[in-house]
mmCIF file of all heavy atoms in Angstrom:
data_model
loop_
_atom_site.group_PDB
_atom_site.id
_atom_site.type_symbol
_atom_site.label_atom_id
_atom_site.label_comp_id
_atom_site.label_asym_id
_atom_site.label_seq_id
_atom_site.Cartn_x
_atom_site.Cartn_y
_atom_site.Cartn_z
ATOM 1 N N VAL M 17 -10.488 20.188 -3.525
ATOM 2 C CA VAL M 17 -9.056 20.473 -3.593
ATOM 3 C C VAL M 17 -8.384 19.268 -4.239
ATOM 4 O O VAL M 17 -8.436 18.156 -3.717
ATOM 5 C CB VAL M 17 -8.463 20.734 -2.198
ATOM 6 C CG1 VAL M 17 -6.954 20.944 -2.298
ATOM 7 C CG2 VAL M 17 -9.134 21.940 -1.565
ATOM 8 N N GLY M 20 -1.983 18.512 -4.256
ATOM 9 C CA GLY M 20 -1.348 18.983 -3.034
ATOM 10 C C GLY M 20 -0.833 17.835 -2.191
ATOM 11 O O GLY M 20 -0.870 17.878 -0.971
ATOM 12 N N ASP M 28 -2.577 17.531 8.163
ATOM 13 C CA ASP M 28 -1.548 17.584 9.210
ATOM 14 C C ASP M 28 -0.399 18.529 8.879
ATOM 15 O O ASP M 28 0.454 18.768 9.715
ATOM 16 C CB ASP M 28 -0.998 16.174 9.456
ATOM 17 C CG ASP M 28 -0.340 16.042 10.820
ATOM 18 O OD1 ASP M 28 -1.042 16.251 11.829
ATOM 19 O OD2 ASP M 28 0.871 15.758 10.873
ATOM 20 N N TYR M 91 -3.430 -3.597 7.710
ATOM 21 C CA TYR M 91 -4.128 -4.887 7.781
ATOM 22 C C TYR M 91 -3.211 -6.019 7.338
ATOM 23 O O TYR M 91 -2.080 -5.789 6.902
ATOM 24 C CB TYR M 91 -5.409 -4.845 6.959
ATOM 25 C CG TYR M 91 -5.275 -5.151 5.480
ATOM 26 C CD1 TYR M 91 -5.930 -6.243 4.924
ATOM 27 C CD2 TYR M 91 -4.513 -4.355 4.637
ATOM 28 C CE1 TYR M 91 -5.825 -6.536 3.574
ATOM 29 C CE2 TYR M 91 -4.409 -4.634 3.291
ATOM 30 C CZ TYR M 91 -5.069 -5.721 2.759
ATOM 31 O OH TYR M 91 -4.954 -6.001 1.418
ATOM 32 N N VAL M 126 4.537 -0.449 18.534
ATOM 33 C CA VAL M 126 5.642 0.501 18.361
ATOM 34 C C VAL M 126 5.122 1.936 18.393
ATOM 35 O O VAL M 126 5.748 2.826 18.983
ATOM 36 C CB VAL M 126 6.409 0.221 17.053
ATOM 37 C CG1 VAL M 126 7.441 1.321 16.796
ATOM 38 C CG2 VAL M 126 7.096 -1.135 17.115
ATOM 39 N N LYS M 155 -17.604 -15.656 -0.045
ATOM 40 C CA LYS M 155 -17.625 -16.901 0.721
ATOM 41 C C LYS M 155 -16.399 -17.750 0.423
ATOM 42 O O LYS M 155 -15.790 -18.348 1.330
ATOM 43 C CB LYS M 155 -18.903 -17.672 0.422
ATOM 44 C CG LYS M 155 -20.152 -17.026 0.997
ATOM 45 C CD LYS M 155 -21.406 -17.805 0.642
ATOM 46 C CE LYS M 155 -22.651 -17.182 1.279
ATOM 47 N NZ LYS M 155 -23.888 -17.907 0.891
ATOM 48 N N GLU M 161 -9.163 -17.825 3.453
ATOM 49 C CA GLU M 161 -8.420 -17.224 4.556
ATOM 50 C C GLU M 161 -8.375 -18.155 5.767
ATOM 51 O O GLU M 161 -7.347 -18.257 6.441
ATOM 52 C CB GLU M 161 -9.043 -15.879 4.941
ATOM 53 C CG GLU M 161 -8.981 -14.828 3.856
ATOM 54 C CD GLU M 161 -7.572 -14.601 3.342
ATOM 55 O OE1 GLU M 161 -6.728 -14.129 4.119
ATOM 56 O OE2 GLU M 161 -7.310 -14.921 2.168
ATOM 57 N N GLU M 176 -26.586 -9.129 9.595
ATOM 58 C CA GLU M 176 -25.435 -8.887 10.472
ATOM 59 C C GLU M 176 -24.528 -7.804 9.896
ATOM 60 O O GLU M 176 -23.933 -7.006 10.629
ATOM 61 C CB GLU M 176 -24.643 -10.185 10.656
ATOM 62 C CG GLU M 176 -25.392 -11.258 11.428
ATOM 63 C CD GLU M 176 -24.683 -12.595 11.333
ATOM 64 O OE1 GLU M 176 -24.433 -13.073 10.206
ATOM 65 O OE2 GLU M 176 -24.380 -13.165 12.402
ATOM 66 N N GLU M 179 -25.933 -4.418 10.670
ATOM 67 C CA GLU M 179 -25.719 -4.025 12.066
ATOM 68 C C GLU M 179 -24.373 -3.333 12.251
ATOM 69 O O GLU M 179 -24.197 -2.519 13.163
ATOM 70 C CB GLU M 179 -25.798 -5.251 12.966
ATOM 71 C CG GLU M 179 -27.209 -5.829 13.084
ATOM 72 C CD GLU M 179 -27.233 -7.104 13.903
ATOM 73 O OE1 GLU M 179 -26.169 -7.484 14.433
ATOM 74 O OE2 GLU M 179 -28.309 -7.729 14.008
ATOM 75 N N VAL M 216 19.736 8.309 13.054
ATOM 76 C CA VAL M 216 19.737 8.127 11.605
ATOM 77 C C VAL M 216 19.885 9.492 10.928
ATOM 78 O O VAL M 216 19.243 10.468 11.320
ATOM 79 C CB VAL M 216 18.434 7.443 11.143
ATOM 80 C CG1 VAL M 216 18.346 7.393 9.627
ATOM 81 C CG2 VAL M 216 18.339 6.048 11.741
ATOM 82 N N PRO M 242 28.704 -0.547 2.757
ATOM 83 C CA PRO M 242 28.670 -1.980 2.434
ATOM 84 C C PRO M 242 27.282 -2.459 2.014
ATOM 85 O O PRO M 242 27.155 -3.399 1.223
ATOM 86 C CB PRO M 242 29.109 -2.648 3.745
ATOM 87 C CG PRO M 242 29.859 -1.591 4.490
ATOM 88 C CD PRO M 242 29.202 -0.306 4.122
ATOM 89 N N ILE M 244 23.491 -1.220 0.515
ATOM 90 C CA ILE M 244 22.610 -0.233 -0.094
ATOM 91 C C ILE M 244 21.237 -0.884 -0.229
ATOM 92 O O ILE M 244 21.086 -1.885 -0.943
ATOM 93 C CB ILE M 244 23.102 0.227 -1.485
ATOM 94 C CG1 ILE M 244 24.599 0.590 -1.456
ATOM 95 C CG2 ILE M 244 22.246 1.375 -1.997
ATOM 96 C CD1 ILE M 244 24.922 1.855 -0.715
ATOM 97 N N THR M 248 12.032 1.905 -2.598
ATOM 98 C CA THR M 248 11.456 2.954 -3.440
ATOM 99 C C THR M 248 10.089 2.613 -4.016
ATOM 100 O O THR M 248 9.476 3.454 -4.675
ATOM 101 C CB THR M 248 12.421 3.287 -4.582
ATOM 102 O OG1 THR M 248 12.870 2.069 -5.201
ATOM 103 C CG2 THR M 248 13.625 4.046 -4.069
ATOM 104 N N ALA M 253 10.976 2.745 -10.841
ATOM 105 C CA ALA M 253 11.261 2.904 -12.275
ATOM 106 C C ALA M 253 12.120 4.124 -12.570
ATOM 107 O O ALA M 253 12.708 4.224 -13.658
ATOM 108 C CB ALA M 253 9.956 2.987 -13.062
ATOM 109 N N ASN M 266 -1.359 3.196 -10.443
ATOM 110 C CA ASN M 266 -1.984 4.373 -9.859
ATOM 111 C C ASN M 266 -3.216 4.007 -9.042
ATOM 112 O O ASN M 266 -3.986 3.129 -9.427
ATOM 113 C CB ASN M 266 -2.389 5.334 -10.977
ATOM 114 C CG ASN M 266 -2.792 6.691 -10.455
ATOM 115 O OD1 ASN M 266 -1.982 7.400 -9.878
ATOM 116 N ND2 ASN M 266 -4.040 7.054 -10.645
ATOM 117 N N ALA M 350 -25.745 11.383 -0.560
ATOM 118 C CA ALA M 350 -25.689 11.952 -1.909
ATOM 119 C C ALA M 350 -25.344 13.441 -1.903
ATOM 120 O O ALA M 350 -24.724 13.954 -2.829
ATOM 121 C CB ALA M 350 -27.018 11.724 -2.617
ATOM 122 N N VAL M 372 11.315 -9.558 -0.374
ATOM 123 C CA VAL M 372 12.425 -8.972 0.381
ATOM 124 C C VAL M 372 13.686 -9.733 -0.008
ATOM 125 O O VAL M 372 13.694 -10.971 0.013
ATOM 126 C CB VAL M 372 12.215 -9.104 1.902
ATOM 127 C CG1 VAL M 372 13.381 -8.454 2.645
ATOM 128 C CG2 VAL M 372 10.907 -8.473 2.325
ATOM 129 N N ASP M 375 21.198 -9.386 -1.516
ATOM 130 C CA ASP M 375 22.193 -10.105 -2.305
ATOM 131 C C ASP M 375 23.513 -10.080 -1.533
ATOM 132 O O ASP M 375 24.176 -9.040 -1.445
ATOM 133 C CB ASP M 375 22.355 -9.439 -3.669
ATOM 134 C CG ASP M 375 23.299 -10.199 -4.591
ATOM 135 O OD1 ASP M 375 24.147 -10.969 -4.092
ATOM 136 O OD2 ASP M 375 23.207 -10.014 -5.817
ATOM 137 N N THR M 400 12.477 -7.875 8.318
ATOM 138 C CA THR M 400 13.156 -8.946 7.596
ATOM 139 C C THR M 400 14.465 -8.452 6.995
ATOM 140 O O THR M 400 15.498 -9.133 7.082
ATOM 141 C CB THR M 400 12.232 -9.496 6.487
ATOM 142 O OG1 THR M 400 10.984 -9.901 7.060
ATOM 143 C CG2 THR M 400 12.871 -10.686 5.789
ATOM 144 N N SER M 463 -17.963 -12.974 -13.640
ATOM 145 C CA SER M 463 -17.919 -12.727 -15.073
ATOM 146 C C SER M 463 -16.674 -13.356 -15.690
ATOM 147 O O SER M 463 -15.574 -13.285 -15.134
ATOM 148 C CB SER M 463 -17.919 -11.220 -15.341
ATOM 149 O OG SER M 463 -17.652 -10.954 -16.693
#
Side-chain angles (χ1 to χ4, degrees):
V17 177
D28 201 60
Y91 85 118
V126 173
K155 290 178 177 178
E161 296 306 295
E176 293 168 305
E179 290 176 4
V216 173
I244 312 289
T248 48
N266 191 64
V372 181
D375 184 337
T400 305
S463 170

